[in-house]
Amino acid sequence: MTTRVLTRENFKRLGKTFDLVRPIFKKYRRRLILGFLALVAVNLFQLFIPRVIKYAIDSLAKGTASRVNLFYFTLLIIGLAIVVAGLRFAWRYLILGFSRLLERDVRNGMFARLLTLDRMFFHKRTTGAIMALATNDMAAVQLATGMGLVAFADAVFMTLATLAFMTYINPGLTVIAILPLPVLAVLTSLFTARLHHHFKRVQEQFSHLTEFSRTNISSIRLLKAYTLEGFQTEHFDKMGKDYVRKNLKLAMLQGGMFSVSTLLANVSMWLVLFFGGRLTIQGVISIGEFVAFISYLYMLTWPTMALGWVANLFQRGVTSLDRLQTVFQARPILSEPLQPLELPLSKGEITIQNLTFRYTGQTVDAVQNVSLSLKPGVLGIVGRTGSGKSTLCHLLARFYPIADKTIYFDGTDVNKVSLEAVRRRIAYVPQDVVLFADTVAANIAFGKPDAVREEIEAVAKAAAIHDEIIAMPAGYETRVGERGVAVSGGQRQRIALARALLLDRPVLIIDGGLSAVDIRTEHDIINFLSKYLQGKTCIMVSHRVAPLANARRIVVFERGRIVAQGTHETLMGTSDFYKTIVEHQSTFIECGEEDRGDEYVTGLHEYPGNGL
């Protein structure tokens, strides 16, 4: 009963999972039809070869054979073999080529879907797990829709056609020959149910291995600094052994299925030799018919043995398609309006009204009742770590959903316009900068690939990084390595700032994007930025107050709320919290420790009050 239930569920799951690749089958249906016609033709020509052998042997047995007849039979067999070879190439090119096209289309679709998903999806899934889907699971799907599909169709056609030819020779002997087949069907069903479970465990372990490798390679400097090479190598070895153990269990099942298929095929051969030999001695069938029957039985042996292999391939393919479906079925939590409004010509004006937001799974609001009116100029934001500064920036950049009528761009509710329309008005510089394994110039021009060198150099100068780039081995053509490992943290941030400036958008958000830069360089950057910020709105989050002293307005955050706002001079007289920050930073600068950043420099670690 368990096997029947599992099989029924497998068929249901197969139907749902097949929806992922159904459009691709429809797209290439002509290619598949031609491929399967070539496959059928190959099988038909192969089935006629034993008939030719039968006539040749019977003519020899009767003494009617001649050199001419034997030469004719030989030419006929050679001709059939040549035709079979040509048609075999055709179906391999068409059907196996289709499996590669399917793999390409599914991978492209997966990549396109990943780009539509938001942060919540990637919070729940590691990069290694996603890479495993794009490699190991994709390969399993390709194999199932390539050789698996061919072997299945070939096995079904060859089984039916071979049985028909065998029945034509002797129906009774055919029944005897197929007696082991029902046993094989039952055993295959039992093996298949267990294969799914074990293959899923193998794929999950491969995901863990991939993610572990990725994180260690990308964090190699930290690993070496903590002298954990030996420990991580040992841990990786344990994971590898676990992966091998899981694969061995899977291999035992696969080997068992193949061995059972082979054993039953040999049992069929023994039955045919025993009973067919007696029929030949008795003259019921001729020697040629007996030889032809054995040839057909050999042809039937392959489909019989292939049943277990095909079941294994399909089981792997279904399991991997199930895993791929988790990506294709995922939907972003940010929804687009059904009839998006057009944003007017942007003036860089942003209005925030009673904005409250809480992250999924959290019990405390990240921002509470925040209201602000932003116009062109610089808005500085300061506050403790976790006070809501970055959350506000993320919400303005539309990384998370917000309630209606809470954020307006140039008087229009952002929930009534497309995400792209809002994001195209914002240039964003995060604190955790991402650089690609490309040249410095390519990283700066990432958002504007057609930018000319003069434009790239102009924004690099504004970000106070031009001179350092020129001093690099290949200048702007210097490759920065994976995630920018070949440059310092401060250089990465300034390259990211230059990238944002090149976009020339009405709103610039610098979310702690200069935290790794010393104060003097930060001052230089702000001075350089002046011409780029004309008529634009700039939101600058910083732990250091000095660079924000000339901002149009400074906002102080504490526990998700705005606890003070105004100019630098105003806050010095009205906010003890802000005044404490300034005094501590002034002390450190006087002591020559201006390069010590974050909360130690801000003095927030010593301030006991609530910001009021």
Side-chain angles (χ1 to χ4, degrees):
M1 178 62 71
T2 301
T3 301
R4 292 180 59 190
V5 171
L6 285 170
T7 303
R8 195 175 296 119
E9 289 178 352
N10 285 342
F11 276 115
K12 289 181 180 179
R13 186 177 68 254
L14 180 62
K16 293 180 180 178
T17 303
F18 190 70
D19 291 338
L20 177 62
V21 294
R22 195 188 308 276
I24 303 175
F25 274 84
K26 186 176 180 180
K27 177 181 177 181
Y28 298 108
R29 60 183 179 276
R30 291 182 181 176
R31 183 189 187 102
L32 283 172
I33 290 171
L34 288 175
F36 282 114
L37 286 176
L39 181 62
V40 169
V42 167
N43 290 333
L44 285 174
F45 282 118
Q46 287 184 143
L47 289 167
F48 278 107
I49 291 177
R51 299 293 298 172
V52 176
I53 295 173
K54 177 244 184 218
Y55 288 122
I57 291 176
D58 282 344
S59 65
L60 287 170
K62 294 176 182 177
T64 60
S66 65
R67 290 184 177 181
V68 175
N69 287 342
L70 293 177
F71 182 71
Y72 169 76
F73 288 133
T74 302
L75 286 180
L76 188 56
I77 293 173
I78 292 173
L80 288 172
I82 293 173
V83 173
V84 166
L87 290 172
R88 181 172 285 117
F89 171 81
W91 70 251
R92 282 178 175 272
Y93 173 78
L94 293 169
I95 301 178
L96 298 186
F98 158 76
S99 70
R100 291 299 182 183
L101 293 172
L102 180 141
E103 179 186 14
R104 180 200 65 187
D105 289 353
V106 173
R107 183 180 283 111
N108 289 347
M110 175 183 168
F111 184 74
R113 174 54 58 86
L114 286 171
L115 294 183
T116 67
L117 300 176
D118 41 41
R119 294 189 170 198
M120 295 304 296
F121 175 85
F122 297 101
H123 287 170
K124 298 176 182 177
R125 291 164 179 83
T126 64
T127 303
I130 296 174
M131 291 302 296
L133 291 175
T135 53
N136 226 27
D137 286 289
M138 205 70 72
V141 172
Q142 182 272 323
L143 197 58
T145 55
M147 281 308 300
L149 199 60
V150 168
F152 175 75
D154 193 39
V156 170
F157 179 83
M158 284 297 288
T159 298
L160 296 177
T162 303
L163 287 175
F165 276 81
M166 291 168 67
T167 303
Y168 177 77
I169 294 174
N170 191 284
L173 188 58
T174 302
V175 172
I176 293 172
I178 65 173
L179 282 177
L181 291 183
V183 178
L184 179 62
V186 173
L187 292 176
T188 300
S189 180
L190 289 170
F191 276 113
T192 301
R194 298 187 64 190
L195 276 172
H196 173 73
H197 171 70
H198 284 282
F199 183 68
K200 186 175 182 180
R201 293 182 63 191
V202 167
Q203 295 296 77
E204 289 173 350
Q205 184 64 15
F206 182 78
S207 297
H208 297 326
L209 269 173
T210 304
E211 176 61 15
F212 186 82
S213 301
R214 185 199 67 81
T215 53
N216 276 271
I217 293 171
S218 62
S219 307
I220 188 67
R221 290 185 294 182
L222 180 65
L223 188 149
K224 287 182 175 295
Y226 280 72
T227 61
L228 290 173
E229 297 93 333
F231 178 80
Q232 293 298 80
T233 300
E234 183 180 350
H235 186 49
F236 185 76
D237 181 57
K238 289 180 180 178
M239 295 178 69
K241 289 178 179 177
D242 190 32
Y243 180 64
V244 170
R245 280 194 295 269
K246 289 181 170 64
N247 266 292
L248 287 176
K249 290 180 181 179
L250 181 64
M252 287 175 63
L253 284 173
Q254 295 169 353
M257 183 180 293
F258 185 81
S259 299
V260 168
S261 300
T262 305
L263 174 63
L264 293 176
N266 289 326
V267 169
S268 293
M269 179 60 68
W270 176 79
L271 291 172
V272 168
L273 287 173
F274 182 79
F275 291 100
R278 294 178 61 182
L279 292 175
T280 305
I281 294 172
Q282 295 169 2
V284 177
I285 59 176
S286 67
I287 296 176
E289 287 175 327
F290 180 61
V291 172
F293 195 93
I294 292 177
S295 298
Y296 286 128
L297 185 60
Y298 271 117
M299 291 183 180
L300 187 63
T301 300
W302 151 245
T304 304
M305 294 171 59
L307 285 176
W309 184 60
V310 170
N312 174 38
L313 289 183
F314 280 162
Q315 195 64 65
R316 284 172 172 259
V318 170
T319 304
S320 292
L321 272 178
D322 276 342
R323 285 163 51 82
L324 288 166
Q325 279 279 33
T326 60
V327 175
F328 284 90
Q329 291 175 349
R331 294 293 181 272
I333 59 175
L334 283 165
S335 58
E336 296 278 8
L338 296 177
Q339 296 181 332
L341 300 177
E342 290 290 333
L343 272 178
L345 185 63
S346 183
K347 302 176 183 178
E349 296 181 358
I350 303 174
T351 303
I352 304 172
Q353 295 181 350
N354 301 317
L355 175 63
T356 298
F357 175 79
R358 179 182 299 180
Y359 290 104
T360 302
Q362 300 296 315
T363 59
V364 179
D365 293 332
V367 293
Q368 303 177 47
N369 299 321
V370 172
S371 295
L372 281 172
S373 180
L374 286 69
K375 294 184 178 181
V378 178
L379 172 74
I381 301 179
V382 296
R384 299 174 186 270
T385 299
S387 60
K389 307 184 301 297
S390 292
T391 298
L392 178 63
C393 295
H394 294 164
L395 296 177
L396 289 174
R398 300 295 283 119
F399 292 157
Y400 297 99
I402 56 172
D404 292 339
K405 300 179 180 180
T406 52
I407 296 180
Y408 294 83
F409 267 65
D410 296 315
T412 304
D413 186 351
V414 294
N415 281 337
K416 297 186 181 300
V417 298
S418 67
L419 295 171
E420 182 181 3
V422 175
R423 290 171 180 167
R424 281 191 174 276
R425 283 160 170 74
I426 297 174
Y428 184 66
V429 184
Q431 183 174 353
D432 184 16
V433 172
V434 174
L435 295 185
F436 299 93
D438 207 332
T439 64
V440 174
N443 273 282
I444 294 176
F446 176 72
K448 191 179 178 182
D450 57 346
V452 297
R453 178 56 60 88
E454 289 74 15
E455 294 178 287
I456 294 173
E457 290 185 3
V459 294
K461 290 175 181 176
I465 188 66
H466 173 73
D467 292 340
E468 294 175 46
I469 295 174
I470 294 298
M472 292 178 182
Y476 279 87
E477 297 307 312
T478 301
R479 303 190 72 87
V480 299
E482 185 179 5
R483 297 183 65 86
V485 296
V487 294
S488 68
Q491 289 173 330
R492 283 198 295 271
Q493 289 187 335
R494 283 175 286 162
I495 291 172
L497 176 60
R499 179 166 60 197
L501 293 175
L502 186 62
L503 296 176
D504 192 27
R505 291 178 176 175
V507 179
L508 173 64
I509 298 176
I510 305 176
D511 181 14
L514 300 176
S515 60
V517 177
D518 62 82
I519 290 180
R520 291 186 181 87
T521 304
E522 191 172 25
H523 273 294
D524 292 340
I525 291 171
I526 293 174
N527 291 332
F528 282 133
L529 285 178
S530 57
K531 72 172 185 177
Y532 284 91
L533 298 180
Q534 294 295 326
K536 294 180 173 61
T537 300
C538 176
I539 301 168
M540 184 176 293
V541 176
S542 177
H543 283 293
R544 297 180 293 217
V545 176
L548 305 178
N550 294 324
R552 179 190 293 271
R553 185 170 29 146
I554 300 173
V555 174
V556 182
F557 266 79
E558 176 68 7
R559 298 178 184 176
R561 296 178 179 271
I562 296 177
V563 295
Q565 59 179 304
T567 63
H568 174 73
E569 292 75 13
T570 301
L571 290 174
M572 285 296 290
T574 59
S575 174
D576 292 338
F577 183 55
Y578 184 81
K579 186 177 180 180
T580 301
I581 298 174
V582 175
E583 290 175 349
H584 275 81
Q585 290 185 10
S586 298
T587 301
F588 277 102
I589 292 174
E590 291 172 0
C591 294
E593 300 188 48
E594 68 272 16
D595 290 342
R596 297 181 66 179
D598 298 339
E599 297 221 358
Y600 192 77
V601 172
T602 63
L604 296 180
H605 65 294
E606 291 188 7
Y607 185 72
N610 60 5
L612 294 177

